[in-house]
Amino acid sequence: MIKISVQKSDFDAGLEISKLSELGGGAVSSFVGQVRGDKQLQALELEYYPAMTEKALREIAKQATGKWPIHGLVIIHRVGRMAIGDQIVLTGVCSDHRHAAISACSFLMDQLKTVAPFWKKEIMSDGVEKWVDERQSDIDAAQNWRN
Amino acid sequence: MIKISVQKSDFDAGLEISKLSELGGGAVSSFVGQVRGDKQLQALELEYYPAMTEKALREIAKQATGKWPIHGLVIIHRVGRMAIGDQIVLTGVCSDHRHAAISACSFLMDQLKTVAPFWKKEIMSDGVEKWVDERQSDIDAAQNWRN
Amino acid sequence: MTTELNIVYFAWVRERLGRDEEVVHLPDTVTTIGQLVTHLQSLGTVYSEIFEDVGKLRFALDQEFVSLDHCLQGAKELAIFPPVTGG
Amino acid sequence: MTTELNIVYFAWVRERLGRDEEVVHLPDTVTTIGQLVTHLQSLGTVYSEIFEDVGKLRFALDQEFVSLDHCLQGAKELAIFPPVTGG
């Protein structure tokens, strides 16, 4: 089971974990990223490249299934405007082995951050808008899987 | 928020993740372990040491909060008889940073497997009962965090 | 016969240009993305500013990441955008 | 005055012994867990079999993991069990 979704609507992390649990692997790892209430942040605007984003996520999923024995995985990424505390992204993996599930789930996030065409704009409480810069730590994390 | 629970009843992984999400860290990592339908397995019997188990889990939680900046964590471990597909254990961590959340969640599982007094007995479909042996890979995984 | 290429822009590149896509007619001298960038810089001040530091930009040709020395031949769509920041 | 210690057993140790706890009267010569193990081996065939390979067992004194050379003095409860296998 591979589920990839780029969507405006919110998702139910518990439901997605339940679906992964039904695959019978015994080990389900998941990660949820939310809008963190830093500084004067009021909202986040998520832009994407419709023709490419889902394709890029499918490629990441394919790499994960090549690296680890996986029963199923899910990647859900929201787009559009999100408020503080809102869920942005979910990655989840079901495997027979806990380290495979945890590593693959972490891999999906690290790759997604560096190769999936999404862009975040911060909207501050004073109305100022700022496109988020890429972070070296994200680049390093993605690179580490190649070593 | 630190929640430790050793219980007979099932748990709601989605609900636990929701509670962690409400802490505002922005990064929530979780792991769910279930009874895997291997071989002729019919059920699993989980025994524990009431006076010591929760104490051992609290110590593991304390170590995690010392190693990573954590807003909250949860460890739920079931005891008693469980059928194939049933949930056994949940670990979940909320942090500001995804690698902290993922590492801490993985740490909780690795430590729990080697120092929390739980014992698994496999009950096979032919009625044969077998206590599960410790696995070297679990010992190694727990040891790796000390290096 | 003129070669045409659809270019799509995202994030601050889109905002600075004030458009999310456009069709560009490629001169015969333009065969790589690097050469196209030089050509785009000649189209006006905003273009020349955006492409001044090309290291801050990423390029995807027909939805695949490519480098500046990649050939445009046969491609239908070029995307130009800043480094991705999802997740 | 005799020193008494409550011993609790888990998993296959409990099953083999057919009991989950017992109170043991400690002879004066027993001051460490290792010495207690030797003492327990003298109590019968089942005991001597269980403690034959002491490396397969783990010990917790008043709910803290301890090694064989640890002193029993002042402790209330010793737990003897196989390596843990939760999770």
Side-chain angles (χ1 to χ4, degrees):
Chain A
M1 185 203 91
I2 290 186
K3 173 177 173 177
I4 309 284
S5 178
V6 179
Q7 61 189 50
K8 282 198 173 173
S9 55
D10 197 11
F11 52 82
D12 180 341
L15 178 65
E16 300 304 329
I17 290 170
S18 292
K19 287 181 193 165
L20 290 170
S21 296
E22 285 164 14
L23 301 176
V28 175
S29 179
S30 70
F31 178 83
V32 174
Q34 306 165 273
V35 182
R36 195 172 62 219
D38 278 349
K39 298 165 283 182
Q40 304 300 311
L41 188 72
Q42 187 178 45
L44 219 55
E45 207 43 79
L46 251 294
E47 182 169 331
Y48 76 120
Y49 179 6
M52 180 175 173
T53 305
E54 192 176 315
K55 188 182 167 187
L57 295 178
R58 289 211 172 272
E59 174 58 28
I60 295 168
K62 195 179 147 196
Q63 287 171 21
T65 58
K67 284 172 87 78
W68 294 279
I70 286 172
H71 290 291
L73 69 81
V74 54
I75 306 174
I76 302 177
H77 202 299
R78 291 178 66 201
V79 291
R81 195 180 176 97
M82 278 159 260
I84 287 168
D86 282 0
Q87 300 184 119
I88 305 170
V89 62
L90 167 83
T91 57
V93 176
C94 175
S95 172
D96 278 355
H97 308 287
R98 97 178 167 282
H99 289 118
I102 292 169
S103 296
C105 187
S106 183
F107 171 87
L108 293 177
M109 278 304 302
D110 287 342
Q111 299 305 309
L112 182 159
K113 285 240 171 199
T114 51
V115 304
F118 292 103
W119 300 274
K120 280 197 193 100
K121 186 161 71 173
E122 294 177 335
I123 295 143
M124 301 304 185
S125 51
D126 58 5
V128 170
E129 301 187 349
K130 188 187 171 301
W131 289 97
V132 171
D133 287 324
E134 70 175 338
R135 293 189 312 173
Q136 189 58 43
S137 61
D138 288 331
I139 299 168
D140 295 344
Q143 188 61 41
N144 274 342
W145 294 103
R146 295 194 178 82
N147 298 341
Chain B
M1 186 204 91
I2 290 187
K3 174 178 173 177
I4 309 284
S5 178
V6 179
Q7 61 190 50
K8 282 199 171 173
S9 56
D10 197 11
F11 53 83
D12 181 341
L15 178 66
E16 299 304 328
I17 291 170
S18 291
K19 287 182 194 165
L20 289 169
S21 295
E22 284 163 15
L23 300 176
V28 176
S29 179
S30 69
F31 178 84
V32 175
Q34 305 166 274
V35 182
R36 193 171 63 218
D38 278 350
K39 300 165 283 181
Q40 303 301 310
L41 189 72
Q42 188 180 43
L44 218 56
E45 202 52 73
L46 252 294
E47 184 170 329
Y48 75 120
Y49 180 5
M52 180 175 173
T53 305
E54 192 176 315
K55 187 181 165 186
L57 295 178
R58 288 211 173 273
E59 173 58 28
I60 295 168
K62 196 180 147 197
Q63 288 171 22
T65 57
K67 284 173 87 79
W68 294 279
I70 285 171
H71 291 289
L73 69 83
V74 54
I75 305 174
I76 301 177
H77 202 298
R78 291 179 66 201
V79 292
R81 194 180 178 96
M82 279 159 257
I84 288 168
D86 281 0
Q87 300 184 121
I88 305 169
V89 61
L90 167 83
T91 57
V93 176
C94 175
S95 172
D96 278 355
H97 309 287
R98 98 179 166 283
H99 289 120
I102 292 169
S103 296
C105 187
S106 182
F107 171 87
L108 293 179
M109 277 305 301
D110 287 344
Q111 298 306 310
L112 182 158
K113 286 242 171 199
T114 52
V115 306
F118 292 104
W119 300 274
K120 279 196 193 103
K121 185 161 72 172
E122 294 178 334
I123 295 144
M124 300 305 182
S125 50
D126 58 6
V128 170
E129 301 186 349
K130 187 189 171 300
W131 288 97
V132 171
D133 288 325
E134 71 176 338
R135 294 189 312 174
Q136 190 57 44
S137 61
D138 287 332
I139 300 168
D140 295 343
Q143 188 59 41
N144 274 342
W145 293 104
R146 297 196 176 81
N147 297 342
Chain C
M1 192 193 113
T2 333
T3 310
E4 291 189 343
L5 180 71
N6 193 45
I7 308 188
V8 291
Y9 303 105
F10 294 97
W12 62 256
V13 182
R14 173 182 58 73
E15 286 186 346
R16 295 269 308 266
L17 280 173
R19 63 183 69 174
D20 54 14
E21 65 180 317
E22 66 184 322
V23 174
V24 172
H25 299 265
L26 301 181
D28 288 344
T29 51
V30 170
T31 60
T32 68
I33 290 171
Q35 287 161 355
L36 174 62
V37 166
T38 307
H39 173 65
L40 290 172
Q41 282 184 291
S42 72
L43 299 184
T45 313
V46 181
Y47 284 96
S48 68
E49 284 173 8
I50 287 173
F51 292 102
E52 198 174 0
D53 185 357
V54 81
K56 285 184 179 167
L57 298 173
R58 299 292 178 269
F59 303 88
L61 199 61
D62 289 341
Q63 295 84 49
E64 295 278 353
F65 280 98
V66 289
S67 55
L68 285 171
D69 57 3
H70 201 281
C71 278
L72 291 164
Q73 200 181 8
K76 286 175 182 160
E77 184 171 275
L78 175 69
I80 305 180
F81 46 74
V84 303
T85 55
Chain D
M1 192 195 114
T2 330
T3 311
E4 291 188 346
L5 180 70
N6 193 44
I7 308 188
V8 292
Y9 303 104
F10 294 97
W12 61 257
V13 182
R14 173 182 57 74
E15 287 187 345
R16 294 271 307 269
L17 280 173
R19 64 184 65 175
D20 55 13
E21 66 180 316
E22 66 184 320
V23 175
V24 171
H25 299 266
L26 301 180
D28 288 344
T29 53
V30 170
T31 60
T32 69
I33 289 172
Q35 287 161 354
L36 173 62
V37 165
T38 306
H39 173 64
L40 290 172
Q41 282 184 291
S42 72
L43 298 184
T45 314
V46 180
Y47 284 97
S48 67
E49 284 173 8
I50 288 172
F51 292 102
E52 200 176 357
D53 185 357
V54 81
K56 286 183 181 168
L57 298 173
R58 300 293 178 268
F59 303 87
L61 199 61
D62 289 341
Q63 295 84 48
E64 295 279 353
F65 281 97
V66 288
S67 55
L68 285 169
D69 57 1
H70 202 279
C71 278
L72 291 164
Q73 200 181 8
K76 287 176 183 158
E77 183 170 276
L78 175 69
I80 304 180
F81 47 73
V84 303
T85 55

